[in-house]
Amino acid sequence: MEKLEKTLEEWKAMLDPEQYNVCRLKGTERPFSGKYNDTRTDGVYHCICCNEPLFDSATKFDSGCGWPSFYAPIADSAMIEIRDVSHGMIRTEVVCARCDAHLGHVFPDGPPPTGLRYCINSVCLDLVPRD
């Protein structure tokens, strides 16, 4: 996969303020506020920054955490995991493998078959419905 690189100024011009804060500055949206938290539409979730496919709706589940949750990415190569020790916690951050956009975190408390919960900010995603 070819890496997509832009300056922060280029990202800021391309994204709305909330998308920029979350995707480029590693912020987060408020729980239960994201447009995809309760969405059940069949389709593929893409990175808002580079349009890379990240998650299939078939892996989405209601974790009750307030953010869209998935038990697996569309492909292992779709994202990169990074150890995150910010805010007095030890977590695993997930970023888009193509453009390094911050997406959210992955936790080991999800359902079968993976036991993982990818807790992802809605503003980082663009849902493309299946026909």
Side-chain angles (χ1 to χ4, degrees):
M1 165 183 329
E2 185 177 329
K3 212 53 159 165
L4 175 63
E5 295 183 23
K6 295 183 181 214
T7 66
L8 284 178
E9 292 78 23
E10 289 172 314
W11 288 120
K12 196 170 199 171
M14 176 187 152
L15 301 169
D16 72 32
E18 188 176 21
Q19 291 167 336
Y20 178 76
N21 180 55
V22 174
C23 295
R24 307 323 306 178
L25 302 180
K26 300 181 187 250
T28 191
E29 62 192 7
R30 290 184 342 272
F32 302 101
S33 68
K35 65 182 176 180
Y36 296 130
N37 186 50
D38 294 322
T39 300
R40 300 286 173 244
T41 304
D42 185 34
V44 175
Y45 291 86
H46 294 250
C47 177
I48 197 70
C49 294
C50 70
N51 202 36
E52 190 68 23
L54 299 173
F55 297 97
D56 190 287
S57 63
T59 66
K60 190 172 188 285
F61 68 100
D62 183 6
S63 69
C65 72
W67 290 273
S69 296
F70 305 85
Y71 63 76
I74 203 159
D76 288 339
S77 61
M79 55 198 59
I80 299 168
E81 295 184 3
I82 301 168
R83 181 179 164 93
D84 177 0
V85 295
S86 65
H87 306 291
M89 297 178 270
I90 299 174
R91 303 178 289 176
T92 303
E93 176 189 12
V94 289
V95 300
C96 174
R98 181 162 185 246
C99 71
D100 293 326
H102 169 77
L103 303 171
H105 292 85
V106 61
F107 301 95
D109 60 1
T114 66
L116 298 174
R117 173 175 54 98
Y118 288 83
C119 186
I120 307 297
N121 291 282
S122 288
V123 298
C124 302
L125 302 172
D126 181 35
L127 174 58
V128 178
R130 265 191 269 279
D131 294 331

